[in-house]
Amino acid sequence: MTELPLTSRARPDRRPHALGEWRALGGYAAVERARAMPPAEVIDMVEAAHLNGRGGAGFPAGRKWRFMPERGTSPGEGPNYLIVNGDEMEPGAFKDRYLLEALPHQVLEGAIITAHATHCDEAIILIRDEYRPGIAAVEHAIHEARDAGLLGGLHVRVHPSAGRYIVGEETALITALEGHRAVPRKRPPFPAQSGLWGRPTTVNNVETISLVPHILDLGAQRFRALSRTEEGGTKLYGVSGRVKRPQLIEAPMGTTARELIERAGGISGDGRLRAFQPGGGASGFLGPEHLDLPLDFGHVAVAGSMFGTGMLIVLDGSACPIGLLARHMRFYARESCGWCTPCREGLPLVSKILDRFEAGQGRRADLDLLHMTADEASPRGRSFCDLMGGAMAPLSSGLRMFAAEFEARLAEGERP
Amino acid sequence: MSLSADLLARIRAASDDHGGPRPAMLEALRMIQHEHGWVSDAHLAEAAATLGVHRAEMEALASFYSLIFRHPVGETVILLCDGASCWLNGADAVREELKARLGIGFGQTTADGRYTLLNVACLGGCDRAPAAVVGRDRRLIGPLSPEGVAELLEGGL
Ligand code: SF4
């Protein structure tokens, strides 16, 4: 394969490949390779490749897989489960849609290999309902692969969700699959010990899974060397918001925002970069001084934000950052599962205050309340899952970075 | 109108496929909606009885998911993205145009039963912002403009 393993086989019009075409392009060779290896060796390879999970947290995939017990070694009876998370709903994220629609066999190949490495008997690919073309493409791919005997003994099925952001959370997704309202669960026990139906479970993002076959094809060292940093491989970056040609770009891990924005046609609006979120709606803002920061999990964390999904949202000088924050908070308020009080009550309040500011009716006490909420609710552990903390990341960094805008709006509000 | 024998059979089969009645509930709701456009109280109760779960459990699940419709919807459901990237690319103007043209707000259906307008989480169409997803096959359309909305509605979605 070339240096852009993830997308180089895709058709420009995003039509998925039939199995025959996919195999002619080298598809499923990695599955054979993996099956000839003991699971532990596949994990060694993935670790050596430095593959970090692409769903948002960036946890090393190999290390996560190592938590999975071998068949028959965990107490009780039942299968081990692999869940492929394609419930992508984070504002600004549009990579999994592309992978599911355009490259379903790649997703499936990755699932087969991952299931082998993690001793899983069953794989469930969870996809949001709005991604019907992706659901259809993956279902068709499963059908073809099953008929061709490529699944081995692995049971694979698609589970379409029905429109709730929280379902994408690792443990909430397990609760959802068990037929309950998707509320997150306490960790520990981690899913690898007790996940779906209390059985060992691994949850990986669609992009993570899609990269796995390429580690087998290229070898760990070559895969790792595709990156510009310590974190291996390429990344499917997204650039959207105020750029001239919003798009997905596969590039070496560690590519800079400057390069990505340039490839997306440059800044639109007034042509000046004001700020960007490096990892979707729940990542803190970075400024022009971070244009040359290598974008990967480690570097972005050191810069004080989160790489998350690696999907950039770009703000130019003429975009209203308060308006953007208001949209984000409205989204998180609506999508809260409602379990924890700060999240259920706090987010709608924050959202309402931001709406007031946007309308030029903000008050000093409101601004104080925003600061207080951000300070109190940001630290991990203040609420049960990461939704609340994630929502606070753009708010806290936004309050700092856009202090002048808030003051200006305040002045408007205080004018009689 | 009660659920067809075929649908009931498929709901029972889903219970086997999904490892029990509880995890099959969402699938049952989806199947009902696929056939009838939405999930009425009567249909919900029938499916719950078929699966052997309490209807309140089914109700709790149905009300959790934004894309399980508990009220009749129009022939064409328009899901308009309210994600950040769409907003940054002019989604507000598109929303206003849609509301004005259809004479309804979000969450409502036109009097002639043709369109329902809904707000949804980022649709994963940021490269086509402002984007919407329309119809039963959930077709992604965009980038939309106020003029484009007019054209779309005239041409039929
Ligand atoms: S933080 Fe919010 S979304 Fe997460 S469990 Fe609590 S209420 Fe639910």
Side-chain angles (χ1 to χ4, degrees):
Chain A
M1 292 302 318
T2 64
E3 44 169 352
L4 300 178
L6 201 56
T7 57
S8 60
R9 290 174 187 168
R11 291 202 180 93
D13 65 0
R14 296 186 174 202
R15 267 192 314 117
H17 302 84
L19 178 61
E21 297 169 88
W22 186 249
R23 297 191 87 166
L25 291 170
Y28 290 96
V31 171
E32 275 171 48
R33 239 170 246 141
R35 283 203 175 122
M37 293 159 64
E41 247 174 62
V42 179
I43 297 184
D44 289 343
M45 246 182 120
V46 169
E47 275 203 323
H50 288 201
L51 174 65
N52 286 340
R54 304 292 202 246
F59 192 79
R63 205 186 309 161
K64 191 179 207 176
W65 294 0
R66 233 182 257 295
F67 296 142
M68 289 292 281
E70 278 180 41
R71 278 193 187 79
T73 61
S74 63
E77 266 176 53
N80 290 2
Y81 292 101
L82 169 68
I83 302 173
V84 180
N85 190 351
D87 199 54
E88 170 182 70
M89 293 170 89
E90 177 75 2
F94 54 108
K95 65 189 178 71
D96 297 342
R97 177 195 272 275
Y98 172 82
L99 292 169
L100 294 162
E101 281 180 15
L103 296 154
H105 274 296
Q106 181 170 263
V107 177
L108 189 53
E109 261 189 84
I112 297 171
I113 298 168
T114 305
H116 172 67
T118 52
H119 314 278
C120 286
D121 317 273
E122 239 183 280
I124 301 166
I125 304 175
L126 187 91
I127 306 177
R128 65 185 289 195
D129 183 69
E130 293 92 328
Y131 285 6
R132 290 264 173 99
I135 292 173
V138 174
E139 275 178 344
H140 185 71
I142 292 172
H143 196 80
E144 284 183 310
R146 187 179 293 130
D147 283 353
L150 290 165
L151 297 182
L154 184 69
H155 292 278
V156 189
R157 68 179 165 93
V158 172
H159 176 94
S161 189
R164 267 318 268 268
Y165 172 69
I166 194 66
V167 176
E169 199 273 339
E170 184 176 67
T171 60
L173 160 165
I174 291 170
T175 320
L177 284 172
E178 291 178 359
H180 297 269
R181 284 180 161 228
V183 288
R185 293 182 181 178
K186 193 163 81 63
R187 278 174 292 212
F190 287 90
Q193 302 159 256
S194 176
L196 186 60
W197 307 118
R199 300 297 306 161
T201 303
T202 292
V203 183
N204 281 132
N205 173 254
V206 165
E207 187 186 355
T208 314
I209 290 285
S210 300
L211 284 163
V212 170
H214 301 295
I215 296 175
L216 274 294
D217 280 340
L218 294 167
Q221 295 320 315
R222 267 184 70 199
F223 180 88
R224 185 176 157 184
L226 294 177
S227 164
R228 293 190 196 160
T229 65
E230 273 301 294
E231 298 171 24
T234 56
K235 175 79 187 81
L236 196 50
Y237 291 95
V239 193
S240 70
R242 293 288 174 91
V243 289
K244 292 195 181 121
R245 291 191 307 274
Q247 58 185 282
L248 282 170
I249 299 169
E250 184 181 5
M253 190 61 123
T255 299
T256 65
R258 186 187 300 282
E259 289 170 88
L260 295 168
I261 291 170
E262 232 159 68
R263 285 181 61 183
I267 309 283
S268 61
D270 73 355
R272 269 189 293 240
L273 176 73
R274 178 71 210 274
F276 66 99
Q277 292 180 280
S283 60
F285 292 95
L286 295 176
E289 69 278 18
H290 290 115
L291 269 172
D292 295 309
L293 178 77
L295 296 178
D296 70 4
F297 293 98
H299 285 88
V300 174
V302 168
S305 180
M306 248 187 64
F307 186 53
T309 50
M311 307 298 282
L312 279 64
I313 300 174
V314 177
L315 276 186
D316 71 312
S318 64
C320 170
I322 295 174
L324 178 70
L325 282 172
R327 296 313 173 290
H328 278 332
M329 295 308 132
R330 201 180 293 171
F331 169 85
Y332 291 112
R334 190 186 62 208
E335 296 299 333
S336 162
C337 82
W339 206 17
C340 326
T341 314
C343 183
R344 183 184 62 241
E345 308 290 332
L347 286 171
L349 180 64
V350 164
S351 161
K352 215 178 286 163
I353 293 176
L354 287 167
D355 286 346
R356 279 212 288 272
F357 264 93
E358 197 192 359
Q361 290 157 1
R363 295 179 298 235
R364 176 67 60 191
D366 282 346
L367 189 56
D368 295 342
L369 199 60
L370 288 181
H371 277 285
M372 195 198 83
T373 312
D375 292 347
E376 292 294 319
S378 288
R380 272 190 103 108
R382 290 288 164 93
S383 51
F384 197 73
C385 84
D386 284 340
L387 185 141
M388 182 61 171
M392 289 300 102
L395 182 66
S396 339
S397 66
L399 284 169
R400 250 180 287 123
M401 193 180 276
F402 311 123
E405 270 89 352
F406 275 100
E407 287 300 329
R409 288 295 169 104
L410 200 57
E412 266 176 60
E414 279 167 351
R415 226 177 285 137
Chain B
M1 200 174 41
S2 49
L3 297 174
S4 69
D6 168 60
L7 188 54
L8 290 173
R10 281 189 287 130
I11 288 174
R12 267 181 230 111
S15 177
D16 296 335
D17 290 351
H18 288 70
R22 183 167 258 295
M25 286 195 293
L26 177 59
E27 196 51 34
L29 292 165
R30 288 173 45 86
M31 286 194 270
I32 295 170
Q33 184 160 303
H34 189 78
E35 205 145 303
H36 297 271
W38 65 293
V39 181
S40 67
D41 287 345
H43 286 165
L44 185 139
E46 215 183 331
T50 303
L51 286 172
V53 297
H54 199 283
R55 58 181 292 178
E57 289 182 85
M58 197 99 168
E59 179 66 63
L61 200 68
S63 60
F64 182 76
Y65 288 104
S66 57
L67 293 179
I68 296 297
F69 307 139
R70 294 288 279 115
H71 297 282
V73 291
E75 274 162 57
T76 303
V77 177
I78 305 175
L79 307 174
L80 204 68
C81 180
D82 68 357
S85 299
C86 282
W87 178 74
L88 285 167
N89 285 296
D92 275 357
V94 171
R95 309 174 82 76
E96 290 314 311
E97 183 71 20
L98 264 169
K99 285 199 298 193
R101 290 251 159 201
L102 298 174
I104 53 172
F106 282 84
Q108 298 178 341
T109 300
T110 52
D112 63 4
R114 283 185 66 192
Y115 297 107
T116 297
L117 209 48
L118 295 176
N119 259 331
V120 279
C122 179
L123 283 170
C126 310
D127 50 346
R128 295 171 66 179
V133 154
V134 298
R136 287 198 169 200
D137 55 356
R138 305 268 189 264
R139 190 160 45 93
L140 179 73
I141 53 172
L144 290 164
S145 62
E147 304 76 49
V149 163
E151 234 171 82
L152 263 170
L153 292 177
E154 274 153 29
L157 272 171

